[in-house]
């Protein structure tokens, strides 16, 4: 009994320390996942904790479970609208990009380490995918608001490229064990099984979960557990029939998160917490598993392989994969740089150990070192890189000041509350009038803890609380009115989008007459939208810019694929 109490005390203390360390890491800019890895190493056999942990089978089980939960949460939080601009490039990156990255890195590793070419490609496959936990954590945890195309591509890629890396890893292990007989057929059949069955079971399972949850009459706290159990069931079924369980659970989460769902807010909040707990536990366990002194022996080799991976293989794979989609060089550079490696490569590095391969120990240590380098070098510089490449856009939401409540029996309406502040747009701008979306109804207006009898929307002050009923699609418009602006001056709407706002269908000739602009020949009859599209040579998103006669046209608002509002930014 005393041992049980000690284990509970130690486990809870480590968990509390890990949670508190996230606050410190945010202030110093350190990637939180790196902090958890280091804490795990300190608790391990060569650290002050002295915990002996070498159970590879248990590590693989726990790591796979944690990764499945993280991918499920990632799917829940990926809006389908992002697929309009991010799906095609993300899918190419998640397939061809992984193959190219693994191939370039693997060929170098085989040459440098003197390995058999198949062992080198196995190492390349293990580090070939970006890590969903690391990417989701950095993009959301740093408060970055990226251009939609860039953010959507990175999130969809990181959530969907793990199956390709797992597929390649399993194939090369099988080929190393059985020999390269019928290599082409083995690779093709494995690919069809993993991807085809994983996608089919994931989508079908997601719709089945939506149907079941919307017909259950449960206590509110049980809906999140039903969703999690259902997602893991989909993962297990897909894995059992040799499909990709990781692809299946990501797609199930994607379906669940983009359909009208009973108790959706409870489900999202629960999975946000359980996904963070899974990240903490997974990285602590992986830190425990490694022997720090063994990393010294592979330090030089791992540094060189990490350098080739980060500076050559990933950028080249991104450039070739995105070539058909006409991404500007700034966006390509950022996507290449945010190719973070995290828990997935370390978990995949356990596969050769479970298979009993001769070089398994060395591969594991090299992969662990590569992950450390990636988290330190790339993870620490994600936010500065986004600012340097001008890919940040003004934030549209600020969840700290926003409360969403589920209304029983209502799947298409939400009750949302705002606390107004001095920097809230409707207070700061002192607007004399503004228009609420058609679906919105004012429920209550509180001031000094008193419910006002009259709903005076034109008399809004800092400190007021405003509660409104609205359709989910109208929440972004409400945020623009009622969420306090916490963005730095460089991301204020006027600084970013420009001094004037134009309609997308405004003619350039009329613009020239109004503002005295000298236009290039043959463009006077074009609309602002047409000019931007022809200049960009790609589907535009909010924040895209096109130069015109000494000014910049900045895409401000879009309805579907159509540009509706454009900022006119004068050159200074």
């Amino acid at each position: 009994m005393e041992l049980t109490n000690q284990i509970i005390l130690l486990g809870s203390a480590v968990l509390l320390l890990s949670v508190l360390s996230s606050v410190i890491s945010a202030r110093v800019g350190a990637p939180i996942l790196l902090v958890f890895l280091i804490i795990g190493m300190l608790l391990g056999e060569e650290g002050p904790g002295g915990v002996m942990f070498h159970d590879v089978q248990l590590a693989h089980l726990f790591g796979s479970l944690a990764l499945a939960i993280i991918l499920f949460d990632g799917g829940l939080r990926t809006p389908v609208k992002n697929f309009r601009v991010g799906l095609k490039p993300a899918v190419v990156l998640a397939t061809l990009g992984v193959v190219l990255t693994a191939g370039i890195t693997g060929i170098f590793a085989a040459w440098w380490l003197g390995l058999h070419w198949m062992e080198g490609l196995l190492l390349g496959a293990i580090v070939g995918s970006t890590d969903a936990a690391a990417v989701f954590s950095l993009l959301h945890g740093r408060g970055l608001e990226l251009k939609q195309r860039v953010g959507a591509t990175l999130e969809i890629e990181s959530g969907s490229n793990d199956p390709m890396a797992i597929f390649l890893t399993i194939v090369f292990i099988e080929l190393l064990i059985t020999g390269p007989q019928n290599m082409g057929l083995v690779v093709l059949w494995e690919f069809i099984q993993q991807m085809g069955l994983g996608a089919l079971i994931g989508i079908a399972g997601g719709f089945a979960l939506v149907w079941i949850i919307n017909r259950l009459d449960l206590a509110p706290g049980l809906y999140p557990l039903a969703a999690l159990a259902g997602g893991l069931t989909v993962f297990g079924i897909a894995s059992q029939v040799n499909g990709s369980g990781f692809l299946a659970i990501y797609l199930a989460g994607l379906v669940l998160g983009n359909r009208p769902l009973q108790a959706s807010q409870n489900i999202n909040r629960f999975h946000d917490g359980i996904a963070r707990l899974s990240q903490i536990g997974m990285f602590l366990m992986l830190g425990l598993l490694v022997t720090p002194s063994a990393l010294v022996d592979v330090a030089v080799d791992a540094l060189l392989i990490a350098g080739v991976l980060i500076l050559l293989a990933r950028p080249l794979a991104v450039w070739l994969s995105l070539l058909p989609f006409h991404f500007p060089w700034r966006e390509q550079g950022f996507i290449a740089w945010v190719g973070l490696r995290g828990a997935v490569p370390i978990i995949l590095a356990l596969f050769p150990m479970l298979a009993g391969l001769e070089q398994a120990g060395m591969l594991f240590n090299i992969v662990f070192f590569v992950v450390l380098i990636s988290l330190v070098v790339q993870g620490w510089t994600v936010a500065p890189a986004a600012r340097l490449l001008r890919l940040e856009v003004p934030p549209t939401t600020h969840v700290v000041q926003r409360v969403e409540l589920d209304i029983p029996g209502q799947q298409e309406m939400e009750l949302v509350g705002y606390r107004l502040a001095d920097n809230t747009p409707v207070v700061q701008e002192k607007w004399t009038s503004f228009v609420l979306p058609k679906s919105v109804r004012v429920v209550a207006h509180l001031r000094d803890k008193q419910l006002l009898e009259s709903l005076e929307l034109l008399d809004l002050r800092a400190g007021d609380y405003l509660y409104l009923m609205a359709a989910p699609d109208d929440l972004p418009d409400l945020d623009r009115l009622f969420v306090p602006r916490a963005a730095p001056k460089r991301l204020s709407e006027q600084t970013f989008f420009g001094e004037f706002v134009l309609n997308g269908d405004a003619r350039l000739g009329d613009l020239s007459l109004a503002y005295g602009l000298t236009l290039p020949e043959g463009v006077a009859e074009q609309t602002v939208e047409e000019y931007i599209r022809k200049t960009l040579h790609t589907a535009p998103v909010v924040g895209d810019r096109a130069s015109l006669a000494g000014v910049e046209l900045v895409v401000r608002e879009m309805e579907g694929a159509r540009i509706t509002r454009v900022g006119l930014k004068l050159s200074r």
Side-chain angles (χ1 to χ4, degrees):
M1 182 177 291
E2 184 177 353
L3 177 60
T4 301
N5 294 334
Q6 289 175 352
I7 292 174
I8 293 173
L9 175 61
L10 178 62
S12 59
V14 169
L15 177 60
L16 180 61
L17 175 63
S18 300
V19 172
L20 294 177
S21 68
S22 66
V23 179
I24 300 173
S25 71
R27 292 182 178 178
V28 300
I32 184 61
L33 304 183
L34 174 63
V35 175
F36 296 151
L37 268 182
I38 293 174
I39 292 176
M41 293 168 71
L42 291 174
L43 292 171
E45 60 180 318
E46 295 186 349
V51 176
M52 303 285 289
F53 180 71
H54 297 291
D55 193 332
V56 176
Q57 186 68 54
L58 180 61
H60 176 258
L61 171 63
F62 184 79
S64 298
L65 177 63
L67 182 58
I69 293 172
I70 292 166
L71 287 172
F72 189 57
D73 178 68
L76 284 171
R77 297 181 182 282
T78 302
V80 162
K81 66 180 182 181
N82 286 353
F83 279 48
R84 180 179 65 84
V85 294
L87 178 61
K88 290 180 181 178
V91 168
V92 176
L93 281 171
T95 51
L96 177 63
V98 172
V99 172
L100 291 172
T101 302
I104 296 169
T105 307
I107 290 170
F108 173 81
W111 171 75
W112 177 257
L113 298 173
L115 299 174
H116 186 274
W117 65 271
M118 213 172 289
E119 290 176 326
L121 290 177
L122 172 60
L123 176 57
I126 290 172
V127 297
S129 71
T130 59
D131 187 76
V135 172
F136 291 158
S137 174
L138 284 169
L139 293 185
H140 296 297
R142 297 293 177 82
L144 282 176
E145 191 83 20
L146 296 172
K147 290 173 67 173
Q148 185 188 14
R149 176 172 49 226
V150 177
T153 300
L154 283 169
E155 291 196 18
I156 297 171
E157 180 212 3
S158 66
S160 59
N161 65 4
D162 295 335
M164 177 58 78
I166 295 168
F167 157 72
L168 291 174
T169 300
I170 292 173
V171 164
F172 284 123
I173 290 175
E174 288 183 359
L175 292 174
L176 281 168
I177 294 174
T178 62
Q181 295 89 356
N182 300 320
M183 180 175 173
L185 289 176
V186 171
V187 172
L188 179 62
W189 177 242
E190 283 285 345
F191 182 82
I192 293 172
Q193 269 196 315
Q194 290 278 323
M195 303 304 171
L197 289 174
L200 181 65
I201 293 171
I203 294 172
F207 280 106
L209 279 176
V210 171
W211 188 86
I212 292 170
I213 290 173
N214 283 338
R215 281 158 182 77
L216 289 175
D217 186 13
L218 300 173
L222 292 179
Y223 286 104
L225 295 178
L228 178 60
L232 291 175
T233 300
V234 170
F235 172 84
I237 292 172
S239 301
Q240 199 65 28
V241 296
N242 294 324
S244 172
F246 296 106
L247 178 60
I249 196 169
Y250 175 75
L251 292 176
L254 188 69
V255 172
L256 218 65
N258 287 278
R259 303 290 297 174
L261 193 66
Q262 191 171 200
S264 61
Q265 290 303 317
N266 285 342
I267 290 172
N268 287 333
R269 287 170 183 157
F270 171 81
H271 282 89
D272 180 50
I274 198 68
R276 292 175 186 271
L277 180 62
S278 298
Q279 288 181 20
I280 291 173
M282 180 169 57
F283 277 80
L284 285 175
M285 178 203 66
L286 295 174
L288 281 173
L289 191 63
V290 73
T291 304
S293 61
L295 299 180
V296 178
D297 297 334
V298 299
V300 175
D301 297 331
L303 278 170
L304 286 172
I305 292 170
V308 170
L309 172 66
I310 295 170
L311 301 176
L312 178 62
R314 170 71 176 178
L316 188 57
V318 167
W319 176 68
L320 290 172
S321 299
L322 298 184
L323 208 54
F325 304 104
H326 305 290
F327 274 65
W329 69 267
R330 286 189 177 90
E331 296 180 7
Q332 289 188 36
F334 185 75
I335 291 171
W337 190 247
V338 189
L340 278 94
R341 271 59 194 173
V344 175
I346 302 177
I347 292 172
L348 291 183
L350 299 175
F351 285 25
M353 300 177 76
L354 292 171
L357 296 185
E358 183 181 352
Q359 303 289 349
M362 181 191 69
L363 293 178
F364 179 84
N365 291 328
I366 289 177
V367 169
F368 194 97
F369 206 108
V370 168
V371 169
L372 283 178
I373 295 168
S374 177
L375 288 175
V376 171
V377 176
Q378 295 172 287
W380 225 304
T381 55
V382 165
R387 297 185 188 112
L388 180 66
L389 296 172
R390 297 168 58 192
L391 296 178
E392 274 190 297
V393 297
T396 56
T397 59
H398 194 273
V399 296
V400 175
Q401 297 291 349
R402 176 168 144 188
V403 179
E404 296 175 6
L405 303 174
D406 281 311
I407 308 300
Q410 296 292 328
Q411 297 177 7
E412 298 297 334
M413 298 295 289
E414 293 186 17
L415 181 65
V416 58
Y418 296 95
R419 181 184 184 278
L420 307 185
D422 290 327
N423 59 341
T424 300
V426 293
V427 175
Q428 189 177 41
E429 307 284 347
K430 299 190 183 300
W431 290 339
T432 56
S433 65
F434 57 88
V435 179
L436 292 176
K438 290 183 180 179
S439 74
V440 176
R441 297 292 182 271
V442 180
V443 177
H445 183 186
L446 288 84
R447 180 176 295 155
D448 298 327
K449 300 182 180 180
Q450 299 295 320
L451 181 64
L452 301 184
E453 294 184 5
S454 60
L455 301 175
E456 291 292 338
L457 287 181
L458 303 184
D459 181 30
L460 296 175
R461 307 175 190 175
D464 286 2
Y465 288 83
L466 195 64
Y467 292 88
L468 308 103
M469 190 80 74
D473 290 344
D474 287 327
L475 292 179
D477 293 328
L478 291 181
D479 288 343
R480 280 191 280 270
L481 293 171
F482 301 115
V483 171
R485 290 173 175 165
K489 182 174 176 54
R490 62 186 168 78
L491 288 179
S492 69
E493 293 207 352
Q494 186 177 33
T495 301
F496 186 88
F497 288 116
E499 291 80 356
F500 307 100
V501 179
L502 310 167
N503 289 328
D505 56 5
R507 289 174 61 253
L508 293 182
D510 297 335
L511 185 64
S512 172
L513 292 175
Y515 298 108
L517 301 178
T518 303
L519 299 178
E521 289 186 16
V523 302
E525 295 302 317
Q526 293 181 15
T527 65
V528 173
E529 180 183 20
E530 290 171 344
Y531 181 80
I532 291 176
R533 288 184 180 279
K534 289 181 179 179
T535 303
L536 295 178
H537 304 292
T538 184
V541 294
V542 171
D544 274 344
R545 300 161 185 259
S547 297
L548 172 69
V551 301
E552 274 189 304
L553 302 174
V554 187
V555 178
R556 184 184 182 101
E557 293 177 15
M558 299 187 69
E559 289 182 1
R562 190 171 69 88
I563 302 172
T564 54
R565 305 268 281 175
V566 177
L568 182 67
K569 190 168 185 180
L570 301 177
S571 299
R572 290 181 170 81

